[in-house]
Amino acid sequence: MEVYINNVKYDVDAPKTILSFCNEIGVEIPTLCYDKRLLPNGACRLCIVEVEGYKTPVTACSEKLKDGMKIHTHSEKIMRMRREILDLLFSNHPNDCLNCDKSGKCKLQNYCYEYGVKTGSYKNEPSELKVDSTNKFFTYDPYKCIKCGICVSVCHNLQNSHAISFIDRGFDSYIGAPMEKGFGNSDCVSCGNCVSACPVGALNPKKKYPEDKFRYWEVRKVQTTCSYCGVGCQINLLIKGNRIVEVEPINTIPNDGLLCVKGKFAHKFVNHPDRLTKPLIKKDGKFVEASWQEAYRLIKEKYEEIMAKKGPDGFGGFSSARCTNEENYLFQKFIRTVFKTNNVDHCARLCHASTVAGLANTLGSGAMTNSIEEIDGTDAFLIIGTNTTENHPVIGTKIKKRVQDGAKLIVIDPREIELAKYADIYLQIKPGTNIAALNGLMNVILSEHLENEEYINERTEGFEEFKKVVEKYTPEVVAEICGIDKDDLIKAARMYAKADKGALYYSMGITQHATGTNGVRSTSNLQMLLANVGRESTGINPLRGQNNVQGACDMGALPTDYTGYQKVFLDPVRESMENFWHTELPAKKGLTLTEMMHSAEKGELSFLYIMGENPMISDPDLNHIKKALNSLDFLVVQDIFLTETASFADVVLPAASFAEKDGTFTNTERRIQRINKAIDPIGEAKPDWQILMEVSTLLGYEEYYNSPSEVMDELAACTPSYRGISYERLKTESLQWPCTSKDHKGTKYLHKNTMARGKGLFVPIEYEVSKETPDEDYPLILTTGRMLYQYHTRTMTGKIDGLTEIAGKSYMEISPVTAKAYNIADGERVKVSSRRGSVTTMAKVTDKIEPGVVFMPFHYVDGSANTLTNPVLDPIAKIPELKVSSVAIEKLERNSYV
């Protein structure tokens, strides 16, 4: 159709609003309440335009283009009306621009300047409402609020929290939480998405310290990738001097302008005074500051001494899911070329090693099959073993939005997580019974002939053997094992099987078991049974918990794999890497992270190099970890803070944070994204890639790179799935592997026409009881997990005041029934004991958990859950059984805890 904008003719090939089309062609129309992610409501009226033949102006945000329309966006009449609207708004707004934190970014201020509105010409009664400061991270000033409603729309329709709304009507209306209890005492999760969307100074981040105050014209913006969970949210860091003063979301893939509390507000660890700024060497049991040369000399001395005494088997290294792809590549290369061992691993061993093993076995690729953006097309979600809204908040938000729009939701989890409240069916299974539950779903699907026979026949193998096992798991049998209602199981199976596009999401509730690899295989069995692999908006979607755990795996920070999962024990692969790196490489498989700790405790592994990991909090059976670290002859720790693990080190090297270096992260959906240097390294800290280059050269394998982009070029050359990746391409786009050439567009979803292994493999999986079950001495089941307001071992989030105020102490969730049996009241101190040790913590009585089960987050030093957890390993992936341990609890007297 043809339209005329300001007397210029345009051809429009799709239905669009006047505003969206004008944005495309560069005609700017002022808006205060518009957000392209939301349905327009025309509340502010500022986007009015004149259309020839219409009696009155229309709002450009809501009016659709029609053939032949003649539109005038800045006619004299329209300019006069916009001035009147701004005059009305400004008359009801404090004229305190000189003192407002939003000055320079306030759209009302900018439009008033543009349209020549200097003062409000209408009388205004001063508001009696007070500033709401109850939230730990931001304030709400109702006097500055223009009632555009965008914050309410974002909270309701994008974040799906429904924490705030309009209160009262007409002129006296304002934004607030129900019952006038304040933002901080509501269901608000402090995501800050309302703050990011607010066009004026009504919602503002708190600025606790003088150095946090700034004017927007004083700052520069640097786009980068969030350094927390595996979603990979795109953000701008606002920089004043050499300090991050604010974070704003970017409206692009994968987060579409959304953030969580950590991404938005938990950035102050970067400039925290506790940052490591100089190398430390331990002398007489105490750390003293040293020069880089002193630290390097000691490392070289100990390297030569231990290599002469024990050879390569005495060495090992832990790489990091929080460091860049380039740094993980260099780390595993360093371990293999300098230490001459494959003893290299990282924290994926504790979270998704079973994903890599299980999906590689059944499909040929151990990664998330589909993309975050595909959530919008999914018809039914099966959420099992993932507390998505807390651990991957933006993905959780997108799932809630899709469910609100009509998709079905089935949740299977021992805890009543937030998504259970949105679920059509919630199955609260006993911890450790995932495989039985999945077999039960598949039993119903097969008995009612709901499987996709054509897909099974054409694209899979092993079906008949698999079917024989599943036939035993009738709803009655599974209901008894899992402690659920068989009718709910049947309903869930039918609902999921009848959906056109069913997507399964899981995380560590599936993987952190001694049967974790089999649990992952079971998810694959279910999705292949329903033809939910190799199609858009379906798939098997393991959610990676840390910002670059996918990338660390891709880079070969694993004892059996080079980059791109090329096996170290295959002679042609090893020979190819030897030619590429120009050195001889070890042939035998290396030790996993958990095996290295056992080797250290036995005195076999003597020299351990840890980059950005903190096993003294994250690993199971912490008393064992402590013994292992104390048994080492030499420990090097490279980190941004003096962590609990670093306190055991002989040398501590100060590393740069994500904001102080260039590189890439690979998020949970295989998307490779840039991080960009925003500030200079703090003190004498150096980027990890530079430290590794210098240490490697010092120890005899020369490495010279001018920048991480050169490292990317090298790793892309030896990694088939990354071969098409370069910094030049990543300037303008993010790419999902496999990206096999410079003209390859990346891969939105895997296994489109065929599985990576050829045919998908059905694996018959029997349910096995967890390695520890309740008995007379330890009668309760402990399960562990993460929470929204902390991250991993709190190395970063433990430095954020607001997060510490909300969730600064360890706790144990316990059901009212169990609490009553032990005479424990909410908030009382309790002692929790397992066969590995005891901790004290606070009881939180809640209906989220079933009788006989207790839950603890693992983040804390105080009341460390991993003192208690079971180190027994999955025989295939070597992942510990962190999700099920047997414990005893006892109430403590008030004076028995200090």
Side-chain angles (χ1 to χ4, degrees):
M1 60 183 169
E2 292 181 354
V3 298
Y4 294 81
I5 310 289
N6 299 330
N7 300 316
V8 178
K9 188 176 80 170
Y10 296 93
D11 292 320
V12 184
D13 58 2
K16 292 174 182 175
T17 64
I18 296 172
L19 180 62
S20 63
F21 184 67
C22 283
N23 286 338
E24 287 180 20
I25 63 174
V27 176
E28 185 177 341
I29 297 175
T31 64
L32 286 169
C33 69
Y34 176 73
D35 187 313
K36 68 179 183 180
R37 301 170 296 173
L38 299 163
L39 290 174
N41 60 17
C44 74
R45 311 299 297 173
L46 201 59
C47 69
I48 52 171
V49 295
E50 196 172 2
V51 181
E52 291 186 18
Y54 285 42
K55 291 182 180 180
T56 58
V58 297
T59 51
C61 67
S62 57
E63 187 71 22
K64 295 284 183 66
L65 288 169
K66 298 180 181 65
D67 190 36
M69 261 188 174
K70 294 182 178 180
I71 301 159
H72 301 281
T73 64
H74 290 76
S75 66
E76 185 178 336
K77 176 183 176 180
I78 290 299
M79 295 292 281
R80 185 178 65 251
M81 293 180 72
R82 286 181 187 153
R83 276 192 289 271
E84 182 70 15
I85 292 167
L86 289 167
D87 189 355
L88 285 165
L89 287 170
F90 198 42
S91 295
N92 193 40
H93 196 84
N95 188 358
D96 66 345
C97 297
L98 289 176
N99 296 310
C100 181
D101 285 338
K102 205 67 168 279
S103 185
K105 193 181 180 183
C106 172
K107 294 179 77 174
L108 178 60
Q109 181 191 55
N110 294 340
Y111 289 143
C112 284
Y113 175 80
E114 180 182 344
Y115 282 81
V117 177
K118 296 180 179 179
T119 58
S121 58
Y122 296 89
K123 269 198 167 184
N124 172 43
E125 292 294 328
S127 172
E128 296 182 1
L129 296 170
K130 295 180 180 179
V131 174
D132 181 355
S133 298
T134 55
N135 188 279
K136 302 296 184 186
F137 302 98
F138 62 87
T139 59
Y140 168 64
D141 186 345
Y143 194 25
K144 294 179 181 177
C145 179
I146 59 173
K147 303 174 188 177
C148 66
I150 195 168
C151 59
V152 175
S153 295
V154 166
C155 185
H156 285 221
N157 301 315
L158 293 181
Q159 178 60 29
N160 292 277
S161 288
H162 302 274
I164 57 174
S165 59
F166 278 103
I167 297 174
D168 291 338
R169 293 172 180 252
F171 187 79
D172 294 326
S173 67
Y174 63 98
I175 307 297
M179 311 300 291
E180 300 184 6
K181 56 187 178 182
F183 280 68
N185 302 312
S186 70
D187 291 333
C188 174
V189 292
S190 301
C191 64
N193 291 319
C194 61
V195 180
S196 298
C198 181
V200 294
L203 287 161
N204 258 322
K206 287 183 174 178
K207 296 176 174 62
K208 188 173 180 180
Y209 304 105
E211 56 266 33
D212 294 328
K213 293 184 73 67
F214 65 95
R215 292 302 199 184
Y216 282 93
W217 55 82
E218 296 179 306
V219 303
R220 54 189 174 87
K221 295 182 181 181
V222 179
Q223 180 172 345
T224 193
T225 302
C226 180
S227 63
Y228 285 106
C229 79
V231 176
C233 293
Q234 292 302 286
I235 56 176
N236 279 326
L237 300 179
L238 274 58
I239 308 300
K240 180 182 177 182
N242 203 49
R243 186 176 185 84
I244 301 172
V245 290
E246 194 172 304
V247 171
E248 63 181 23
I250 300 174
N251 195 358
T252 188
I253 291 173
N255 52 309
D256 299 312
L258 296 173
L259 290 177
C260 75
V261 61
K262 295 188 288 291
K264 175 68 176 173
F265 298 112
H267 55 82
K268 292 179 183 175
F269 72 89
V270 173
N271 293 102
H272 197 277
D274 289 348
R275 281 286 303 276
L276 289 169
T277 58
K278 291 186 177 181
L280 302 175
I281 291 176
K282 190 171 283 180
K283 294 183 178 179
D284 299 322
K286 294 183 179 180
F287 285 119
V288 296
E289 290 184 350
S291 68
W292 280 97
Q293 290 74 18
E294 287 177 280
Y296 284 169
R297 278 199 300 270
L298 181 57
I299 291 171
K300 183 178 183 183
E301 176 187 317
K302 290 296 182 180
Y303 163 76
E304 292 173 345
E305 176 187 317
I306 293 170
M307 184 62 77
K309 189 185 300 182
K310 292 197 172 180
D313 287 346
F315 291 78
F318 295 170
S319 200
S320 176
R322 285 171 293 285
C323 292
T324 65
N325 286 319
E326 295 77 6
E327 290 161 343
N328 278 287
Y329 170 78
L330 290 180
F331 189 89
Q332 59 86 26
K333 182 183 178 183
F334 166 73
I335 297 297
R336 290 176 164 121
T337 59
V338 176
F339 288 175
K340 297 297 182 181
T341 178
N342 286 314
N343 294 343
V344 59
D345 207 354
H346 71 290
C347 66
R349 188 62 51 195
L350 307 174
C351 58
H352 276 287
S354 40
T355 287
V356 175
L359 294 185
N361 175 229
T362 61
L363 303 177
S365 176
M368 184 169 170
T369 61
N370 289 64
S371 300
I372 296 169
E373 64 181 300
E374 295 172 47
I375 288 172
D376 287 343
T378 299
D379 298 314
F381 298 93
L382 178 59
I383 307 295
I384 179 168
T386 163
N387 187 359
T388 318
T389 57
E390 295 206 43
N391 299 334
H392 303 87
V394 169
I395 291 177
T397 290
K398 288 177 175 287
I399 290 172
K400 287 195 293 182
K401 174 68 166 60
R402 180 62 186 144
V403 170
Q404 184 174 288
D405 291 342
K408 300 297 183 183
L409 175 61
I410 299 158
V411 173
I412 304 176
D413 201 277
R415 292 176 70 223
E416 188 180 334
I417 59 174
E418 184 191 0
L419 281 179
K421 300 173 184 176
Y422 294 82
D424 295 274
I425 299 170
Y426 169 46
L427 303 177
Q428 190 168 23
I429 61 172
K430 294 176 183 175
T433 62
N434 300 303
I435 290 172
L438 291 167
N439 278 348
L441 292 174
M442 291 185 282
N443 177 282
V444 174
I445 290 165
L446 289 169
S447 64
E448 298 189 7
H449 307 291
L450 299 174
E451 73 275 20
N452 191 310
E453 290 186 20
E454 181 181 355
Y455 182 94
I456 293 167
N457 292 334
E458 291 181 1
R459 297 199 55 181
T460 71
E461 60 187 1
F463 176 72
E464 292 302 324
E465 292 81 1
F466 150 79
K467 184 178 178 182
K468 289 176 186 176
V469 169
V470 170
E471 285 174 347
K472 297 185 288 186
Y473 290 87
T474 64
E476 291 77 14
V477 170
V478 171
E480 179 66 26
I481 293 171
C482 297
I484 56 176
D485 187 296
K486 69 179 182 66
D487 292 332
D488 287 340
L489 180 72
I490 294 168
K491 289 176 187 175
R494 290 171 179 165
M495 180 181 291
Y496 192 61
K498 291 176 181 178
D500 178 44
K501 293 183 177 180
L504 186 150
Y505 287 78
Y506 75 83
S507 192
M508 286 171 280
I510 286 284
T511 61
Q512 287 182 332
H513 296 274
T515 55
T517 303
N518 280 342
V520 172
R521 288 166 166 168
S522 293
T523 67
S524 183
N525 287 342
L526 174 61
Q527 290 299 78
M528 289 192 296
L529 194 64
L530 298 172
N532 280 332
V533 177
R535 294 193 296 131
E536 195 165 355
S537 296
T538 63
I540 306 162
N541 300 290
L543 298 177
R544 300 303 187 116
Q546 295 180 57
N547 57 300
N548 201 35
V549 71
Q550 181 65 59
C553 292
D554 298 344
M555 293 302 101
L558 299 166
T560 55
D561 297 59
Y562 300 120
T563 63
Y565 309 97
Q566 302 171 88
K567 301 303 176 186
V568 301
F569 48 82
L570 297 179
D571 292 342
V573 173
R574 187 179 65 261
E575 290 165 8
S576 174
M577 292 304 296
E578 286 178 334
N579 291 332
F580 191 78
W581 285 340
H582 307 293
T583 189
E584 187 176 343
L585 296 173
K588 69 176 181 179
K589 299 178 186 178
L591 300 177
T592 65
L593 180 151
T594 44
E595 290 171 332
M596 276 188 263
M597 285 301 187
H598 286 293
S599 179
E601 189 175 4
K602 290 188 287 185
E604 297 166 354
L605 191 141
S606 296
F607 189 124
L608 184 60
Y609 197 131
I610 299 179
M611 177 179 75
E613 289 288 326
N614 192 12
M616 267 306 298
I617 301 296
S618 61
D619 289 26
D621 189 3
L622 292 181
N623 288 325
H624 153 64
I625 301 301
K626 184 176 181 179
K627 290 178 185 176
L629 294 177
N630 278 325
S631 299
L632 291 166
D633 289 331
F634 196 69
L635 173 62
V636 179
V637 172
Q638 188 169 304
D639 216 314
I640 61 175
F641 290 103
L642 189 65
T643 64
E644 290 76 16
T645 300
S647 67
F648 288 82
D650 297 283
V651 174
V652 179
L653 304 177
S657 74
F658 83 109
E660 299 155 41
K661 58 189 176 185
D662 292 311
T664 59
F665 294 152
T666 303
N667 77 345
T668 190
E669 57 174 350
R670 299 169 283 104
R671 185 176 300 279
I672 302 145
Q673 303 177 111
R674 280 296 311 273
I675 64 165
N676 295 296
K677 182 181 176 181
I679 62 174
D680 292 329
I682 305 297
E684 296 180 17
K686 297 182 181 183
D688 293 278
W689 67 268
Q690 184 178 341
I691 299 171
L692 292 169
M693 180 179 71
E694 291 172 351
V695 174
S696 180
T697 300
L698 177 76
L699 300 186
Y701 185 86
E702 295 188 355
E703 295 273 45
Y704 296 104
Y705 304 95
N706 292 308
S707 69
S709 66
E710 294 183 3
V711 183
M712 171 57 76
D713 292 341
E714 178 180 315
L715 74 88
C718 66
T719 312
S721 56
Y722 276 64
R723 195 149 287 157
I725 306 299
S726 69
Y727 277 32
E728 188 63 31
R729 291 191 71 183
L730 293 176
K731 280 181 183 177
T732 56
E733 59 183 337
S734 58
L735 297 161
Q736 291 171 273
W737 68 260
C739 181
T740 53
S741 66
K742 297 302 180 185
D743 58 356
H744 194 287
K745 295 181 179 179
T747 306
K748 186 175 182 179
Y749 60 93
L750 302 177
H751 317 298
K752 183 175 181 180
N753 298 312
T754 185
M755 309 303 188
R757 70 180 298 276
K759 286 195 171 186
L761 177 65
F762 279 102
V763 181
I765 303 293
E766 296 278 8
Y767 161 70
E768 296 178 36
V769 177
S770 298
K771 299 304 179 183
E772 275 193 353
T773 56
D775 57 22
E776 187 175 343
D777 294 327
Y778 301 97
L780 301 174
I781 297 173
L782 167 69
T783 190
T784 66
R786 305 183 182 202
M787 60 182 301
L788 174 64
Y789 294 104
Q790 293 295 348
Y791 175 72
H792 207 240
T793 64
R794 298 181 70 236
T795 301
M796 299 186 298
T797 53
K799 309 298 187 295
I800 309 301
D801 292 343
L803 297 178
T804 300
E805 289 168 20
I806 293 172
K809 294 287 186 180
S810 167
Y811 63 88
M812 177 194 72
E813 289 183 355
I814 183 172
S815 80
V817 172
T818 308
K820 184 177 180 180
Y822 285 85
N823 191 29
I824 293 170
D826 186 58
E828 289 190 320
R829 304 299 305 183
V830 293
K831 180 180 179 181
V832 191
S833 303
S834 75
R835 291 175 174 83
R836 286 145 304 271
S838 300
V839 299
T840 55
T841 189
M842 181 189 75
K844 183 180 287 188
V845 181
T846 174
D847 290 324
K848 289 181 181 179
I849 207 84
E850 286 201 307
V853 179
V854 296
F855 166 84
M856 289 181 69
F858 84 94
H859 310 287
Y860 299 93
V861 178
D862 167 45
S864 54
N866 278 331
T867 297
L868 309 168
T869 47
N870 193 351
V872 64
L873 302 179
D874 176 308
I876 300 168
K878 309 298 184 183
I879 190 170
E881 187 150 78
L882 294 165
K883 282 290 181 281
V884 182
S885 306
S886 297
V887 297
I889 61 174
E890 61 178 288
K891 177 179 177 178
L892 294 176
E893 299 298 329
R894 289 185 183 276
N895 61 359
S896 65
Y897 177 79
V898 178

